[in-house]
Amino acid sequence: MFATYTPELKLTTVANYHEHGPRSWDAVTGEAGAGFADHRGVYTFPLSEEWKRWMAVSGKELTREELAEFIDNNILDVIEPTPYLLNASSSDPAPWEERCATIAEKIDGRFGQPHELVNLSRQFTINETSDLKVTANRNDGTTSLQFVNEHKDDEGRPLKLPSLFLIAIPVFDGMDLYRLTARFSYRKSSSTVKFRLQVFQPDIALRDAMEGECARAQAATQLPLMWGTPER
């Protein structure tokens, strides 16, 4: 069996592959034990609909209407963060929780709950204030000017939003769910606001899922597994 990631996620089985050991040559029939490797079965791994939907919007700028529609249609994929990720518990975390916590620490983010994401997609309001900050250096006589923009909520407080959410989706149809971290961000330009949902490291989940399915196929068939493409 031959497994490949690119250009397609597929598993190819060659029925008449070359036999093991050295070859002998017969003057009439040619090389004994030669296989033409032309009888093949190809299985293309079916990506789940959930995976396709999240990958389609990952990293793409969305309007508030587009964000609200996407969240409404896919809110069941968003799961509650564990107490460890909410800093409500210091119990021994699972390895996946530690990975998520590391992401949050590196980007200075915090995990939100599903209802917060729904509220953000439906009732997001920004009040922007601009201030001019003047700094004078008496030692060298220089003066620096800096415009400071600050985003505030409806009550005038600095805007504090959850920037990370957890989703649980299968990579392949009918397979186990994978917990993935999704980042929520926005960009204000003039009077418009664009939103973005970015799924962190989906390639790791994709590779893990495929390796697991290939290992399962190998165990069931007892065939050798190689990564790459068979000879033509």
Side-chain angles (χ1 to χ4, degrees), residues 50-69:
E50 296 91 336
W51 182 271
K52 293 177 184 177
R53 288 195 294 266
W54 281 93
M55 293 305 110
V57 301
S58 181
K60 178 183 176 182
E61 287 193 338
L62 306 172
T63 64
R64 187 170 68 175
E65 291 75 16
E66 291 171 335
L67 176 68
E69 181 180 4

Side-chain angles (χ1 to χ4, degrees), residues 6 9 13 30-31 42 46 51 74 80 85 99 125 134 149 152 155 161 171-172 201-202 210 220 227 229 231-232:
T6 57
L9 299 166
T13 301
E31 184 179 358
V42 179
W51 182 271
N74 299 277
E80 294 282 349
L85 295 178
R99 290 194 296 270
T125 303
V134 181
N149 293 330
K152 298 181 179 181
E155 298 180 4
L161 304 174
V171 176
F172 302 129
Q201 299 177 320
M210 185 170 178
W227 293 91
T229 56
E231 303 91 331
R232 296 292 181 183

Side-chain angles (χ1 to χ4, degrees), residues 4-231:
T4 56
Y5 288 108
T6 57
E8 290 183 291
L9 299 166
K10 65 181 181 180
L11 187 64
T12 302
T13 301
V14 182
N16 58 337
Y17 197 65
H18 312 298
E19 296 180 1
H20 293 288
R23 300 288 176 260
S24 60
W25 183 263
D26 184 275
V28 178
T29 61
E31 184 179 358
F36 291 99
D38 55 352
H39 294 290
R40 304 184 179 193
V42 179
Y43 176 75
T44 302
F45 289 88
L47 294 172
S48 71
E49 293 302 316
E50 296 91 336
W51 182 271
K52 293 177 184 177
R53 288 195 294 266
W54 281 93
M55 293 305 110
V57 301
S58 181
K60 178 183 176 182
E61 287 193 338
L62 306 172
T63 64
R64 187 170 68 175
E65 291 75 16
E66 291 171 335
L67 176 68
E69 181 180 4
F70 180 81
I71 295 303
D72 284 346
N73 292 336
N74 299 277
I75 189 59
L76 294 181
D77 298 334
V78 185
I79 62 175
E80 294 282 349
T82 62
Y84 176 78
L85 295 178
L86 292 175
N87 294 322
S89 172
S90 59
S91 59
D92 293 336
W96 71 268
E97 289 179 299
E98 291 183 322
R99 290 194 296 270
C100 292
T102 299
I103 293 175
E105 181 181 0
K106 287 186 175 181
I107 68 169
D108 193 23
R110 72 175 181 89
F111 280 91
Q113 297 172 290
H115 73 272
E116 292 181 280
L117 185 57
V118 172
N119 291 337
L120 287 174
S121 67
R122 295 178 180 176
Q123 304 173 3
F124 188 80
T125 303
I126 297 177
N127 296 296
E128 185 177 46
T129 60
S130 298
D131 296 312
L132 177 62
K133 183 179 180 180
V134 181
T135 304
N137 189 327
R138 293 185 178 182
N139 293 327
D140 57 15
T142 60
T143 301
S144 63
L145 304 178
Q146 181 181 8
F147 284 95
V148 179
N149 293 330
E150 187 175 13
H151 293 168
K152 298 181 179 181
D153 59 20
D154 288 336
E155 298 180 4
R157 296 172 300 190
L159 200 59
K160 294 183 179 180
L161 304 174
S163 55
L164 298 172
F165 294 90
L166 278 180
I167 63 174
I169 57 175
V171 176
F172 302 129
D173 274 338
M175 301 303 175
D176 294 336
L177 301 180
Y178 275 78
R179 299 183 188 91
L180 300 171
T181 300
R183 183 178 186 179
F184 171 85
S185 61
Y186 71 92
R187 179 178 64 85
K188 188 176 185 301
S189 177
S190 185
S191 60
T192 62
V193 180
K194 295 291 186 179
F195 301 89
R196 179 177 294 179
L197 295 170
Q198 179 76 50
V199 179
F200 275 93
Q201 299 177 320
D203 55 310
I204 295 179
L206 186 64
R207 181 177 292 270
D208 182 78
M210 185 170 178
E211 288 179 352
E213 291 306 304
C214 289
R216 192 162 67 94
Q218 183 183 20
T221 61
Q222 295 299 304
L223 294 174
L225 174 65
M226 291 171 278
W227 293 91
T229 56
E231 303 91 331

